[in-house]
Amino acid sequence: MSAVILVTGANRGLGLEFVKQYAEAGWRVIACARDLPGATALQELAARHPNVSLEALDVGVPTQIEALATRLAGQPIDVLLNNAGWLGDRQKQSFAELDYATFEEVLRINTYAPLAMARAFMPNVLAGTQKKIVVITSGLSSLTNAARFGNLYFYRLSKAAVNMAMRTLQAEVRERCIKVGILAPGMVDTRLLRSSGYEGPGVIQAPQSVAAVMQHIEALTQDAEMTLYTGDKLPW
């Protein structure tokens, strides 16, 4: 029986590449996207791979998370991959503006949603063989690295917070043999990175990042630390 992975934010960027590589590796992939009609690249990928099924899911809406968990009740999930994330408007999270509505939305998508997904799909993960919950974080969440440049307050806060949420979850579910991974994909050439305004060195392409992250997911242990795609440990 094929292993099963659920991927959020699967319509583009890293999420789309995760779906592609896991499908090509023979996994059954449940690919979730907020706007399925507009996710043409994902639809084309699913058309080429019968082991990919599509689900509409806006992780920023808790009732949609619960509804999907109800639809997938009884379906074992080996890896729950919380990939969906949102940078948020750069100006609205600058120190000069600090728009509160933007803060709430970034936190809801980047911090609350992965925790809500973990709770909603816990029965599915427990029914799976691998029992893994993974969140895609960012090097910008590191307090040690925060002194390099300013701005992006809300995004950084949200990623640091989800790291803590997943670390806390790791401690809570360890006795149930669930492995929780906190993995940073690096500076990947995606719309999110381009929106951040970063123009420095070290940018990589999605296939390289995803292939490396998949190796870390495969090797995940119950005491995993926050890890960069290269295998280096990210300072908290």
Side-chain angles (χ1 to χ4, degrees):
M1 183 178 294
S2 299
V4 179
I5 184 170
L6 185 151
V7 182
T8 63
N11 56 305
R12 63 173 181 266
L14 287 171
L16 184 64
E17 187 64 27
F18 274 118
V19 174
K20 177 178 181 292
Q21 292 198 30
Y22 271 108
E24 291 176 349
W27 285 55
R28 182 187 166 199
V29 183
I30 303 170
C32 304
R34 182 181 60 178
D35 176 21
L36 276 183
T40 54
L42 179 60
Q43 291 183 41
E44 291 170 0
L45 181 60
R48 296 195 303 270
H49 295 280
N51 51 330
V52 175
S53 59
L54 305 182
E55 294 285 352
L57 174 65
D58 183 344
V59 297
V61 182
T63 54
Q64 290 195 22
I65 293 175
E66 295 296 334
L68 181 59
T70 298
R71 288 201 302 275
L72 296 180
Q75 168 62 60
I77 294 176
D78 293 284
V79 178
L80 178 65
L81 180 53
N82 293 289
N83 166 76
W86 189 54
L87 180 73
D89 185 284
R90 290 175 61 199
Q91 182 57 37
K92 289 184 178 181
Q93 59 184 299
S94 68
F95 187 67
E97 190 161 340
L98 294 180
D99 177 69
Y100 189 76
T102 300
F103 181 47
E104 286 187 315
E105 187 169 7
V106 173
L107 280 177
R108 184 169 63 252
I109 295 170
N110 293 350
T111 306
Y112 179 79
L115 196 57
M117 288 288 296
R119 182 181 65 178
F121 289 93
M122 185 62 68
N124 307 76
V125 174
L126 286 168
T129 301
Q130 297 192 24
K131 296 179 173 57
K132 295 174 181 177
I133 298 173
V134 176
V135 68
I136 299 300
T137 187
S138 168
L140 291 176
S141 67
S142 168
L143 300 181
T144 303
N145 294 339
R148 294 182 180 179
F149 64 91
N151 209 334
L152 297 177
Y153 281 89
F154 301 161
Y155 181 75
R156 291 177 175 209
L157 286 166
S158 70
K159 288 298 187 177
V162 79
N163 294 347
M164 175 60 79
M166 292 298 106
R167 190 69 162 176
T168 304
L169 179 65
Q170 183 183 52
E172 185 162 345
V173 300
R174 184 177 290 116
E175 292 183 355
R176 305 175 82 177
C177 298
I178 294 176
K179 306 173 184 70
V180 179
I182 307 169
L183 301 173
M187 292 178 289
V188 187
D189 184 18
T190 61
R191 191 174 77 169
L192 187 149
L193 182 68
R194 292 189 290 272
S195 298
S196 75
Y198 180 79
E199 298 178 349
V203 176
I204 62 174
Q205 298 303 309
Q208 176 188 356
S209 171
V210 165
V213 171
M214 286 173 60
Q215 290 182 357
H216 294 304
I217 294 175
E218 179 65 27
L220 198 63
T221 70
Q222 287 181 283
D223 297 303
E225 298 184 35
M226 188 164 65
T227 306
L228 188 62
Y229 77 101
T230 57
D232 297 322
K233 302 302 181 185
L234 275 174
W236 291 92

